[in-house]
């Protein structure tokens, strides 16, 4: 006969192995209610996104199973009263609009010990499509789901850079064509739930897109002044809808005087040629804010505003 202690210990280990999950909440909110809402919301969005994308019945059933497991593991029903589910759904939709719900889901699956993390979506193979996704993902990261107008690429420094890389590759008309249905393009990216992952991979592939990338401006004038004027316009254009305008308007005004002197005497014909060259050159330099900082240093020196 086995010793009583061995029997009890063996039974206890069996119960632990079968009845509980290994949990690790170190990468999740510490508050149980906040964590439950985040994680169940991510699982719910995962299921809804699959339905919206038209996944097959087996995949939809798998997603429903993950949602059910997350419901049980998080004890979400203890934190959301019966009459508060409508408000919870509103919050879950907000989570969808951040574009990172799949990343949240994977953190939650790891945290609650629910299966393996979901594979992250890949960037398109075609380089033009890839750069466009990089531009849109950067803008979504900066602005959330407010991507209904093409000007959003102008208002995000990294989105500006990727968009102008695309202009250098395909021309401005092709970019304009891609932007004709910017709302739908943004929606497709949001539905993949991995905006931050897209941006990280885009910057890894194109280090010039890093916000701290040092920019080397061309020395020749009036090209350098033209680039600085072009970027200045991007940083303050769009009125109150531009989140960069408040910070950059006084800086642009200060830079305008030396830029005006550098651009004196250019004929209209020269200006048209210069504009075409600027659109191509800008895409090789970096984010708009980094270019502008280099412009301040070039024209204002120690008097530049940092």
């Amino acid at each position: 006969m086995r010793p009583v202690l061995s029997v009890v210990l063996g039974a206890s280990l069996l119960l632990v192995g079968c009845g509980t999950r290994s949990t690790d909440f170190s990468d999740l909110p510490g508050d149980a209610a906040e964590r439950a809402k985040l994680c169940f919301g991510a699982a719910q969005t995962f299921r809804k996104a699959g339905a919206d994308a038209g996944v097959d019945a087996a995949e939809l059933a798998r997603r429903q199973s993950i949602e059910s497991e997350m419901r049980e593991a998080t004890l979400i029903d203890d934190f959301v009263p019966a009459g508060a589910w409508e408000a919870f759904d509103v919050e879950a939709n907000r989570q969808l609009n951040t574009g990172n719900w799949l990343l949240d889901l994977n953190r939650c699956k790891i945290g609650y010990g629910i299966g393996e993390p979901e594979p992250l979506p890949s960037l398109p193979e075609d380089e033009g499509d890839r750069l466009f996704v990089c531009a849109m993902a950067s803008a979504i990261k900066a602005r959330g789901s407010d991507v209904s107008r093409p000007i959003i690429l102008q208002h995000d420094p990294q989105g500006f850079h990727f968009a102008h890389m695309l202009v250098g590759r395909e021309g401005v008309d092709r970019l304009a064509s891609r932007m004709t249905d910017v709302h739908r393009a943004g929606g497709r990216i949001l539905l993949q739930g991995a905006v931050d992952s897209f941006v990280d991979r885009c910057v890894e592939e194109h280090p010039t897109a890093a916000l701290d990338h040092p920019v080397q401006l061309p020395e020749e004038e009036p090209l350098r002044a033209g680039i600085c004027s072009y970027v200045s316009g991007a940083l303050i254009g769009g009125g109150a809808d531009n989140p960069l305008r408040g910070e950059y308007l006084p800086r642009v005004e200060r830079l305008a005087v030396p830029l005006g002197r550098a651009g004196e005497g250019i004929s209209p014909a020269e200006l048209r040629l210069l504009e075409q060259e600027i659109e191509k050159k800008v895409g090789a330099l970096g984010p708009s804010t980094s270019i502008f900082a280099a412009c301040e240093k070039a024209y204002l020196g120690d008097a530049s505003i940092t």
Side-chain angles (χ1 to χ4, degrees), residues 179-235:
M179 295 296 291
T180 53
D181 197 356
V182 64
H183 185 72
R184 180 175 295 179
R188 285 195 296 267
I189 293 172
L190 287 169
L191 277 174
Q192 294 183 72
V195 165
D196 284 1
S197 175
F198 279 151
V199 174
D200 289 345
R201 280 178 282 170
C202 291
V203 173
E204 184 178 344
E205 290 183 9
H206 303 283
T208 54
L211 291 173
D212 59 354
H213 172 71
V215 169
Q216 184 67 45
L217 293 170
E219 292 290 334
E220 63 269 27
E221 296 288 13
L223 176 60
R224 183 173 67 176
I227 288 172
C228 293
S229 295
Y230 181 82
V231 171
S232 295
L235 288 171

Side-chain angles (χ1 to χ4, degrees), residues 130-153:
R130 202 177 186 90
L131 286 172
F132 184 62
V133 168
C134 288
M136 290 296 299
S138 297
I140 290 169
K141 182 174 181 178
R143 298 292 298 272
S145 61
D146 182 19
V147 292
S148 58
R149 297 195 299 142
I151 201 169
I152 55 102
L153 295 185

Side-chain angles (χ1 to χ4, degrees), residues 8 23 35-36 39 55 61 65 73 86 91 95 98 101 136 147 151 194 199 221 223 235 251 253 261 271 284:
V8 172
T23 57
R35 183 171 64 243
C39 292
V55 299
S65 176
E86 185 175 346
E91 178 63 17
Q95 188 175 359
T98 66
W101 53 266
M136 290 296 299
V147 292
I151 201 169
V199 174
E221 296 288 13
L223 176 60
L235 288 171
R251 296 168 67 174
E253 290 173 343
R261 288 196 295 264
L271 183 59

Side-chain angles (χ1 to χ4, degrees), residues 118-181:
E118 298 297 319
L120 297 179
S122 58
L123 289 165
E125 291 293 329
D126 177 79
E127 183 62 19
D129 293 342
R130 202 177 186 90
L131 286 172
F132 184 62
V133 168
C134 288
M136 290 296 299
S138 297
I140 290 169
K141 182 174 181 178
R143 298 292 298 272
S145 61
D146 182 19
V147 292
S148 58
R149 297 195 299 142
I151 201 169
I152 55 102
L153 295 185
Q154 178 177 309
H155 295 167
D156 169 55
Q158 286 180 312
F160 173 93
H161 180 51
F162 287 121
H164 283 80
M165 289 179 69
L166 189 55
V167 168
R169 177 184 174 83
E170 298 182 344
V172 68
D173 290 341
R174 177 62 178 135
L175 175 62
S177 175
R178 289 180 181 274
M179 295 296 291
T180 53
D181 197 356

Side-chain angles (χ1 to χ4, degrees), residues 46-47 50 54-66 118:
F46 183 53
R47 187 258 305 161
V55 299
D56 62 33
E59 173 61 14
L60 187 58
R62 186 183 76 85
R63 294 183 182 217
Q64 289 169 334
S65 176
I66 291 171
E118 298 297 319

